[in-house]
Amino acid sequence: GYCNTARDTWSLFKRVGVEALVNDGLVSLVILLAALAVGLVCAFFGFVTVRNSATLPQNAGMYAAVCIGFALVGFMLSSTLFEVVNSGVST
């Protein structure tokens, strides 16, 4: 029940340390923010691509579709690559 879970959690804190648990949380947050930043940079490149293209129509729908697509691809690829880092620093 609740008491057994609390006892297991306290023994985990004693064994691993609070610093390691906080470290894992911070590393995961930084990796998420880095993946979001890469997605935003890719969205900017999508915007520039549409802006400088002679064949794509210059309307809001095209800008939105290309920017969202670039952002999603950039976010997914970078988060996949950053998971290697996350697995290396996790305890």
Side-chain angles (χ1 to χ4, degrees):
Y2 178 78
C3 291
N4 290 335
T5 305
R7 196 174 303 119
D8 291 342
T9 304
W10 187 249
S11 66
L12 177 69
F13 283 155
K14 285 182 178 178
R15 188 176 70 239
V16 177
V18 177
E19 294 85 12
L21 295 174
V22 171
N23 184 30
D24 285 346
L26 289 177
V27 168
S28 297
L29 179 64
V30 169
I31 286 175
L32 174 67
L33 292 176
L36 286 173
V38 170
L40 287 175
V41 169
C42 289
F44 174 74
F45 284 129
F47 176 81
V48 171
T49 301
V50 174
R51 183 85 169 177
N52 295 330
S53 175
T55 59
L56 292 175
Q58 302 287 319
N59 58 25
M62 183 57 68
Y63 280 111
V66 171
C67 288
I68 290 171
F70 273 50
L72 286 175
V73 168
F75 175 75
M76 287 188 285
L77 287 176
S78 63
S79 64
T80 301
L81 291 174
F82 289 153
E83 279 302 313
V84 174
V85 175
N86 193 15
S87 67
V89 297
S90 65
T91 55

